[in-house]
Structure formats: structure tokens, C-alpha cells
Amino acid sequence: MKTAVGTAKNNTWALGFSDFKEITKARLAISVVFSSVAGYFLGAPEINWFSILLLSFGGYCMVGASNAYNQVIEKDLDALMKRTMNRPIPAGRMTVNKAMVIAIIMTVLGVIALYYLNPKTAMFGAISIFLYTSCYTPLKTKTPLAVFVGAIPGAIPFMLGWVAATDDFGIEPGTLFMIQFFWQFPHFWALGWMLDDDYKKGGFKMLPTGKKDKGTALQIIMYTFWMLLISIIPVFGITGDLQLSILAAVIVFLMGAVMLFFAFRLYERRDNTSAKKLMLASVSYITLMQLVYVGDKMIRGWI
């Protein structure tokens, strides 16, 4: 009897933890934390591991809260789409009130953690929650421009780390912001292309032309090109303390060229397979680009 009770409790805890990960979109939140920590390493004159811990915790809370608010607002629409119908709220495993409690607690804890680093970091974290929840989320069913609005909070994490390390916002974090801002478009439009039929069930307008056509593919190419250009600008020495060696710039350029290749392939073929390859290339690009930036700074420091 005790064993059965213990097993039931373990299953309840496991299910609760699984739903917590789902309501906060743990994988997305962790990737955002990675971007923030990368930005911190780029900006910090010396590494403070307690600051990294605060940034990671605060960053996860900010993203987790945004996603929880989002799922509360979109609960009825989520129930209409195959990719989201098994989320905790539409599936009936979590109440709206419980989700809101999670979101509010994470908002408060996140802001406190980031404020402990410095007020600017907390401010940008709070702005990201506001824009994602109050602007991006309701606009998704109104206009394709929602992706443009959503790209703003989506681009904050990379620059947030620099601000957390330096307590300053200037051309350096602004450049990091622009890199990730332009990256958002090919990434999310490729994803939107793949899931277009499902998105339409929920009434979401994710593609810029509303269709999987040459117009959408052409815009993907344009934004990928601008992302590639801005990613190598630090090599020219015009972005303050944010610098990039020639070798690192070549590597970043080649990685961006791979994304651009898949963007052209999507324009040529206009199929879901090409969109998936572009989406996967974009995920690889943003991670590897940040690693190259951080690695290049460390190597230049050693030399």
C-alpha cells in the first residue's frame, strides 16, 4: 500500500514538473539563457559566477513568465491546433489560475534577480515580458506584423547579458540586439512556413504575405542577408568594445552564408522540407555564432 502511494506521489510530481516545463517552454527558455550568458561573457571585463547565476535564473523566469502568460491568453486557440492542444491548460491538466500564479511569481522573482545585477537589466527584462504578452501575443491573430513586434523581445536576451555585465547600454549591446533581431525573421518564418496549416486553425497570421509564396521567401532572403551583414560588422572596429577578429568574422560569414543558401533554396522550391532545413540551419547559426564571438574574445585576450 505504501509503495503504491509513493509511486502515485512520484508520478504526480513527475507530471507536475513536466507541465511546469511545458507552461514555461523550458527548451526555449534555456536557449534564451544561453544567449544572455553569451552576451555577459562578451561584455564582462572579468567573470563573476554569482552574476551569471542571477542572470540565468532571472532570464529563465522572464521567459517562463512570458510563455505562461501567453498560454493563458491563447488557451482557447491552443486547443484548436495539433501542435498545442496537449499543452497543460487546453488539455485540462492545469487551471488558468495556477498558470497565472506561476507567471506572476516568476515575473516577480525574475525582476528581483535582474535588478540585483543592475536596474537597466531589470528594465529590459520587464520590457520583454510586456511586449511579448501585451503586444506580440494579441497581434498574432490580427496582422503578420506581429512577428516584427515579437522580434523585439526575442532579440533582447543577447544584449541583456552585456547590459548585466556592464550596467551600460551603447553601441555594443545595440549591435548584439540587431544581430538577433534580424535572425528572428528567417527563423520564425521558416517555422511558420512549416506549420502554416496548423497556425491557420488558430487564426494566427505568421507569414508576411499570408501565403507560402515567393513574396514570403524573398523577405526571408532579405532579412537573412541583413543578419549576415550585421553579424560581421564588429570586425571593422566601429562597434566600440565589441570586436571580432578577421578569422572569426570569416567563420561567422560562412555560417551565415549557409543560412542564406537554404533561404534561396526555399525561394526556389517553396516546400516544407526546404523550410525545415532553413529552420534547423538558423538554430545552428545563432548558437554557433555566439560561441564564435565568445571564443574569439577569449583567444584575443590570451594573445
Side-chain angles (χ1 to χ4, degrees):
M1 181 68 177
K2 289 183 178 180
T3 302
V5 172
T7 301
K9 287 183 177 179
N10 288 337
N11 290 339
T12 301
W13 276 105
L15 183 60
F17 182 64
S18 177
D19 284 341
F20 175 79
K21 291 192 298 181
E22 183 71 17
I23 201 74
T24 60
K25 291 188 181 179
R27 291 177 61 182
L28 173 62
I30 290 172
S31 70
V32 169
V33 168
F34 179 87
S35 292
S36 298
V37 172
Y40 178 89
F41 273 103
L42 290 174
E46 57 183 37
I47 305 302
N48 183 312
W49 292 104
F50 181 64
S51 294
I52 291 177
L53 180 63
L54 283 174
L55 177 63
S56 300
F57 176 76
Y60 189 99
C61 285
M62 295 287 98
V63 181
S66 297
N67 289 322
Y69 288 128
N70 174 266
Q71 291 182 46
V72 168
I73 295 169
E74 295 181 348
K75 62 184 186 304
D76 295 330
L77 301 180
D78 282 348
L80 303 175
M81 297 182 290
K82 184 178 179 180
R83 60 181 286 272
T84 57
M85 62 174 54
N86 196 43
R87 284 177 173 174
I89 300 176
R93 298 191 307 274
M94 182 180 294
T95 65
V96 169
N97 287 342
K98 184 176 180 180
M100 281 298 294
V101 168
I102 291 173
I104 292 170
I105 289 175
M106 295 190 77
T107 300
V108 173
L109 292 178
V111 169
I112 290 173
L114 297 181
Y115 188 86
Y116 192 87
L117 289 167
N118 59 66
K120 290 188 182 72
T121 305
M123 178 188 70
F124 283 119
I127 288 173
S128 71
I129 291 181
F130 174 78
L131 288 176
Y132 190 90
T133 304
S134 301
C135 300
Y136 168 66
T137 295
L139 283 175
K140 286 162 67 178
T141 58
K142 306 297 182 184
T143 172
L145 288 174
V147 175
F148 181 89
V149 176
I152 298 173
I156 285 177
F158 199 17
M159 56 150 272
L160 191 71
W162 185 288
V163 175
T166 64
D167 191 20
D168 182 57
F169 181 82
I171 191 169
E172 300 92 347
T175 302
L176 298 180
F177 175 88
M178 293 305 294
I179 294 171
Q180 197 150 342
F181 176 79
F182 281 99
W183 170 84
Q184 305 269 331
F185 295 93
H187 174 73
F188 282 107
W189 283 337
L191 185 63
W193 188 296
M194 294 165 50
L195 301 173
D196 186 53
D197 292 337
D198 210 24
Y199 275 131
K200 284 179 178 177
K201 293 177 183 177
F204 294 130
K205 305 177 186 297
M206 303 304 290
L207 298 179
T209 67
K211 302 176 183 177
K212 299 195 289 187
D213 59 8
K214 281 190 173 182
T216 288
L218 182 60
Q219 291 198 48
I220 289 174
I221 290 172
M222 291 171 58
Y223 279 91
T224 304
F225 173 78
W226 283 111
M227 175 209 74
L228 174 58
L229 181 63
I230 295 170
S231 294
I232 61 171
I233 279 181
V235 76
F236 299 106
I238 58 175
T239 53
D241 293 331
L242 180 64
Q243 300 176 13
L244 202 62
S245 69
I246 294 177
L247 177 59
V250 170
I251 294 172
V252 170
F253 178 85
L254 291 175
M255 292 190 303
V258 171
M259 260 190 76
L260 194 58
F261 167 80
F262 285 115
F264 274 106
R265 180 65 62 87
L266 179 61
Y267 178 84
E268 176 187 358
R269 299 184 177 179
R270 298 190 300 284
D271 60 2
N272 285 353
T273 299
S274 300
K276 183 176 181 179
K277 289 180 179 178
L278 174 59
M279 189 273 294
L280 293 174
S282 70
V283 172
S284 299
Y285 173 82
I286 197 67
T287 303
L288 294 175
M289 178 273 296
Q290 290 167 350
L291 288 173
V292 169
Y293 263 68
V294 173
D296 182 63
K297 179 191 175 183
M298 290 181 174
I299 292 171
R300 285 185 288 105
W302 294 332
I303 294 176

